[in-house]
Structure formats: structure tokens, C-alpha cells
Amino acid sequence: MKLFALAAGLAAGLPIVCLSATAQADENRVVIELFTSQGCSSCPPADELLERLAERDDVLPLALHVDYWDYIGWADSFARPEHTRRQKAYARIAGSRSIYTPQMIIGGVEQIVGTRPMEVADAVMRHVQQGPAIDLDVERDGDTLRIMSDTPATARGPLLVQLVRYMPHQVVEIGRGENAGRTLTYTNIVTEWSILAEWTGAEPLDLSAEVPGPDAVAVIVQKAGNGRILAAADLR
């Protein structure tokens, strides 16, 4: 019943939940990475699904635009080669020799075709039920971000503390390629994904980072080597 309700929510949309100036990961926000492209004709339904997911308060959906479809007539204005490299790293872990769009990675470990809302709902529910492995606190004061956590009970390193910047919403008119003539809406478009620190988990975490500019901010703690995502919090 819970799974059906979640899937219905993905299909119909839910009320937007406002975030305060301080984010905590104790609600276990499940990270969903969508690998997508403006030049991919199969991607708009997945982009729309990500937009609906962004209205939920139990997930952190992020769009990583890849560059390997740029050659077919339209260069994706959000594409970054590092997104392609990240997707390839996930593919190697899964033993796959190829990558594709649209693809969703749930919690760093489950790989799903991005146009299958029931499978996405099922995966999200599994990760929500697991509960967070790390209690992560993130606070922002102007352009300074502070990230804190007590020593986790079970998680041990190497753990990567990652900073993600993203644009919550953009509308793009596609001039050429497979989506020529369409006006498409994109949500939570990743503009930066960087590693702030490597953490063993054997001691409390307390670090700061400068985050100038208007883009939204998220912090993700993930096992090294594109492993499981253990905690996530975001601020807008």
C-alpha cells in the first residue's frame, strides 16, 4: 500500500515542502541521480519524473547532464564531462560495458531506467525504510557552509564528503537534434560536484566550505568508489 501511494505521488505530484536555513539528514533524504541529455529524445519523460520527485521531502533528486549525445546535432548547455565519468564509474561497478540515458541511480547503488516510475518508487521506499547511516547536520551562514556529524555507529571509511551545487529550475528551447522545436523544463541541474574531504568515520566530522553564488547547495556523504550514499542534506 505504501509503495502504491508513493508511485501515485510520483505520477500526480505532491505539495512542495519548504526548506529552512538549516538542513538535517535525519529524515533520510534518498539521493536520486538522473543521467540525462537535452539531445536525447527518450529523456523528457524522465526529466518530468525528476521534476515531480523534487516536490517530495524524502528525496534529493539531481540531474546530471552528460555530453556524449552532443554530436547528434545539439550541444546540451548543462552537460559536463565529469558527469559522464561519474556515470561510467557506476557502470563499471555494475559490470556494464555501456552507458545510456535516461538512467537513475538510487542511493548510489540501484540502477534503473529513468522512465520506470514504479521501479523508482520501489527503490526509494527500500532506501527510506533502511534509515540513515549517518546523522548529518548542514548549516549555512551567508557564503559559509558548516558540515557536522557525530561518529557514526556503523559506517566506516573511506567516506567522501561531497559538495553539490545545482540550479533548481531552468527552461530551455531546443533548436536542433532529436528534441528540435521543443521547450523543455529541467529541475535540480547539477553545476558542481566536488569532494570536500575524505572521512574515516572514526571521529566526529566538523568542516566548513565557502559556497558563494545563487546555486542551491547539497552535501552528500558516500562510500568511496561510487558506493552507497549514507547521508544527504540540502539548502536553497
Side-chain angles (χ1 to χ4, degrees):
M1 182 63 70
K2 288 183 178 179
L3 174 58
F4 178 81
L6 176 59
L10 297 185
L14 293 173
I16 296 175
V17 177
C18 296
L19 296 176
S20 67
T22 301
Q24 293 183 305
D26 55 5
E27 294 297 326
N28 191 27
R29 288 171 67 79
V30 178
V31 177
I32 301 175
E33 301 171 60
L34 170 63
F35 293 94
T36 186
S37 172
Q38 295 172 7
C40 162
S41 61
S42 301
C43 287
D47 299 322
E48 292 172 4
L49 176 57
L50 196 81
E51 183 178 15
R52 294 193 293 273
L53 284 163
E55 298 173 350
R56 301 188 59 87
D57 61 357
D58 55 357
V59 299
L60 174 58
L62 299 167
L64 292 90
H65 287 242
V66 298
D67 61 354
Y68 50 84
W69 295 126
D70 288 359
Y71 76 95
I72 60 176
W74 179 256
D76 190 317
S77 57
F78 306 134
R80 291 175 175 262
E82 55 265 36
H83 296 167
T84 301
R85 291 194 293 269
R86 184 172 177 85
Q87 188 182 23
K88 287 181 177 179
Y90 279 128
R92 286 193 296 271
I93 293 170
S96 176
R97 296 184 178 181
S98 61
I99 54 178
Y100 66 90
T101 55
Q103 182 188 38
M104 286 186 178
I105 309 292
I106 314 296
V109 291
E110 297 199 48
Q111 305 189 16
I112 300 173
V113 176
T115 52
R116 298 177 179 174
M118 286 298 295
E119 292 186 25
V120 172
D122 192 4
V124 168
M125 184 60 66
R126 283 194 294 270
H127 286 267
V128 168
Q129 290 173 342
Q130 286 176 0
I134 293 172
D135 183 11
L136 183 67
D137 294 336
V138 179
E139 299 176 357
R140 184 173 185 175
D141 183 5
D143 288 344
T144 301
L145 197 68
R146 188 179 182 191
I147 305 157
M148 297 164 289
S149 177
D150 294 332
T151 303
T154 57
R156 288 294 182 267
L159 310 175
L160 301 182
V161 183
Q162 301 166 108
L163 173 69
V164 179
R165 306 295 305 271
Y166 62 92
M167 295 183 290
H169 180 84
Q170 290 288 322
V171 177
V172 179
E173 295 182 0
I174 310 297
R176 297 183 302 278
E178 292 185 352
N179 290 317
R182 301 185 67 175
T183 299
L184 300 176
T185 299
Y186 296 100
T187 305
N188 291 5
I189 307 139
V190 173
T191 58
E192 176 188 352
W193 194 305
S194 59
I195 297 172
L196 294 177
E198 186 173 300
W199 182 33
T200 66
E203 67 287 324
L205 177 70
D206 190 344
L207 60 90
S208 298
E210 293 302 308
V211 287
D215 286 357
V217 179
V219 175
I220 294 173
V221 179
Q222 184 174 17
K223 288 189 175 181
N226 289 79
R228 178 177 294 276
I229 292 174
L230 303 175
D234 73 322
L235 293 165
R236 296 187 181 184

